[in-house]
Amino acid sequence: MTNYVYKLRPNPTQDLKMSNWVDMLRGHYNWCLNDRIIQYNQQFFQGDYCQIIHEVEACPLTCFVSKNGATGNPWKDCKVDKEGKLKNPRRSASDIQITSLPDLKTSRPWYSGIDSTVLQQNVKRLDTAYKNFFEGRGFPQFKNRSNFTSFTFVMGVKIQGNKIYLPKLGWMRFYNSRSIPDGFTIKACAVRKRQNGWYVSIRIENKSVPDYIAKALEDVVKVIGCDLGIAKLVHLSDGYQIENPKFSTNKKVKRTLKIRQRRVSRQVKGSNNRKKAAKKVGLLHQKISDRRQAHQWKTAHKIVERNIDAIDARKFTYFWNATSLSSEN
C-alpha cells in the first residue's frame, strides 16, 4: 500500500464547495469533541447538571444512558455468545455519533451536501485523536482554520486520465504527474488545502505484490551507521558527511521572511491586504517545507546508493566512540 499525491485543478464552483465543506466539517468535529467532553464530565464528575446558556439539563448524545432517543441507544446490536455472555455490550461514542448523522442532516440541511463517508471519516478522525491521547500524546484539541484543512473519501473515487471523480464534487482535473500502476486499486483519498491550492493524496493497494522480504542475517555483509548531526545533516560511519542546507535559517530566507511578516503587521486587521500579505508568508513556509522534504528524499537515496546491505543507527555510536578513543590516545 502506498500514497500518490497530485495537485487538483478545481473550477471556481468546486473550489468554493470544498472550502465550505472544510468549514462545516471543522464545526462538526468540534461539536463531537465537545459532546464527548460533556458526557465524560456528566458521567464521572458532575452528574446531571443544567447548562446556563440553554437553561436545560445537559444531555450529551454520547451518554451511555442517553435521553435523546434511539440514536443514543447503547445496547443496540448486542449479541450473546455460546457461553451466554454479551458481545459488544455497549456501543462506542463514535458508533453513536455516526448513527446520528441522518438526524444531523435533518436538523441542519446544509450538511446533506457533504458525502456520507466524509462525515463518517470525520468522526473516526476524532477516534484517532483519542487513541493518540490514550497512548500518551496529548488530549484532542478543538480545531481552527489553520489546523483543519482536509477531508477523506473511502469509496466512490474514480480516475480517468487526468480527471478524478470525487463523490458530490463531480469530475475534477488534476496534474497527473505519474500514472497509477496497473493492478492497483484505490482504497481511499484525502483532499487537503494548502497555500497554493488543493491537493489529493490517493492511497492505492495491490495485494498481488509481495511484501518486502528482509535479508537473512548471514547475507548481510556491509553495514553502515548513520546519525543526525548539527553542523552537518547526516554523519555516516564510513566518514562521509551530508551537508545541511538549512532552508529556513539561511540569511536570505530569514531576511525574506522578516520582510513579509513586517508587511503583515503593518496592514489593518481583517482587511484584504492583510490576508494577501499573510498568504505570501504561508507560501514561503510551504516552499521551505517542500524543499526540505525533497532534500530528505535525495539524502535517503544517496545513503541507499552506497552499495550497502543494511543501515544500523547503533553502529555509528560504536564507530564514533572508537574514533574518539583513538584520537585521544
Side-chain angles (χ1 to χ4, degrees):
M1 185 176 294
T2 184
N3 288 358
Y4 279 14
V5 180
Y6 304 96
K7 185 176 181 181
L8 294 173
R9 299 169 56 191
N11 58 42
T13 303
Q14 293 171 332
D15 191 348
L16 179 61
K17 196 171 185 179
M18 289 190 292
S19 298
N20 293 335
W21 278 26
V22 171
D23 292 337
M24 288 188 288
L25 290 170
R26 183 176 64 253
H28 178 245
Y29 179 95
N30 290 337
W31 185 91
C32 291
L33 175 57
N34 183 66
D35 187 71
R36 298 193 191 189
I37 293 174
I38 293 176
Q39 179 269 327
Y40 184 83
N41 291 335
Q42 187 182 51
Q43 185 174 2
F44 296 101
F45 291 102
Q46 299 172 340
D48 293 340
Y49 65 95
C50 180
Q51 292 179 335
I52 298 177
I53 298 177
H54 302 95
E55 298 181 354
V56 294
E57 181 183 353
C59 188
L61 180 68
T62 53
C63 180
F64 292 128
V65 189
S66 178
K67 301 175 184 177
N68 288 337
T71 58
N73 180 13
W75 309 105
K76 187 178 179 181
D77 298 331
C78 289
K79 297 180 181 179
V80 181
D81 58 10
K82 296 180 180 179
E83 299 177 356
K85 296 181 180 180
L86 288 175
K87 288 184 178 180
N88 302 323
R90 289 195 302 190
R91 301 164 69 195
S92 64
S94 63
D95 291 337
I96 296 174
Q97 289 177 340
I98 290 176
T99 307
S100 68
L101 289 178
D103 294 337
L104 172 68
K105 295 180 179 180
T106 302
S107 60
R108 293 169 175 81
W110 49 91
Y111 276 94
S112 300
I114 302 178
D115 185 66
S116 299
T117 61
V118 174
L119 286 168
Q120 294 171 10
Q121 291 301 312
N122 200 40
V123 177
K124 293 181 180 180
R125 179 176 181 172
L126 181 57
D127 286 345
T128 303
Y130 267 97
K131 180 181 177 181
N132 294 336
F133 166 64
F134 292 127
E135 293 176 356
R137 281 177 277 183
F139 189 77
Q141 300 295 320
F142 291 99
K143 301 297 184 180
N144 54 38
R145 291 179 182 269
S146 62
N147 55 20
F148 192 99
T149 58
S150 64
F151 53 88
T152 304
F153 294 93
V154 292
M155 60 175 59
V157 180
K158 296 179 288 186
I159 291 181
Q160 292 182 0
N162 64 342
K163 292 183 179 180
I164 182 172
Y165 178 80
L166 301 176
K168 293 200 173 182
L169 290 174
W171 288 98
M172 190 182 307
R173 295 181 182 273
F174 70 98
Y175 293 96
N176 194 0
S177 54
R178 55 175 176 174
S179 58
I180 296 177
D182 296 334
F184 281 81
T185 57
I186 300 175
K187 305 298 293 185
C189 80
V191 180
R192 180 179 303 276
K193 186 176 184 180
R194 302 186 69 188
Q195 291 294 333
N196 64 341
W198 292 90
Y199 288 81
V200 59
S201 176
I202 303 175
R203 186 184 306 165
I204 57 176
E205 181 184 20
N206 187 355
K207 295 183 179 180
S208 63
V209 177
D211 295 333
Y212 174 77
I213 301 176
K215 283 187 177 182
L217 189 59
E218 55 271 13
D219 296 335
V220 178
V221 179
K222 186 177 179 181
V223 181
I224 193 171
C226 60
D227 187 42
L228 295 178
I230 299 176
K232 305 292 183 179
L233 182 61
V234 179
H235 296 266
L236 302 181
S237 57
D238 59 359
Y240 184 74
Q241 298 178 348
I242 298 177
E243 296 291 334
N244 186 0
K246 297 182 179 179
F247 295 110
S248 62
T249 57
N250 62 69
K251 185 176 180 180
K252 181 178 178 181
V253 173
K254 288 176 67 176
R255 183 176 181 275
T256 304
L257 183 60
K258 182 179 180 180
I259 292 173
R260 294 189 181 185
Q261 289 176 336
R262 186 188 299 144
R263 289 174 180 171
V264 174
S265 63
R266 288 177 176 176
Q267 303 297 333
V268 178
K269 290 185 178 180
S271 64
N272 289 332
N273 288 334
R274 187 182 179 91
K275 294 178 181 179
K276 293 178 183 178
K279 185 176 181 179
K280 290 185 178 180
V281 175
L283 288 172
L284 180 59
H285 282 296
Q286 180 181 338
K287 182 178 180 180
I288 294 171
S289 176
D290 291 342
R291 293 180 64 186
R292 185 185 293 116
Q293 185 177 15
H295 185 73
Q296 289 173 353
W297 281 107
K298 292 178 182 178
T299 301
H301 189 64
K302 285 182 181 179
I303 296 174
V304 174
E305 273 188 333
R306 297 184 69 81
N307 193 21
I308 56 177
D309 298 319
I311 299 175
D312 188 0
R314 297 172 299 175
K315 187 176 181 62
F316 177 77
T317 305
Y318 305 146
F319 168 82
W320 180 261
N321 292 338
T323 306
S324 301
L325 291 174
S326 62
S327 61
E328 290 175 0
N329 295 333

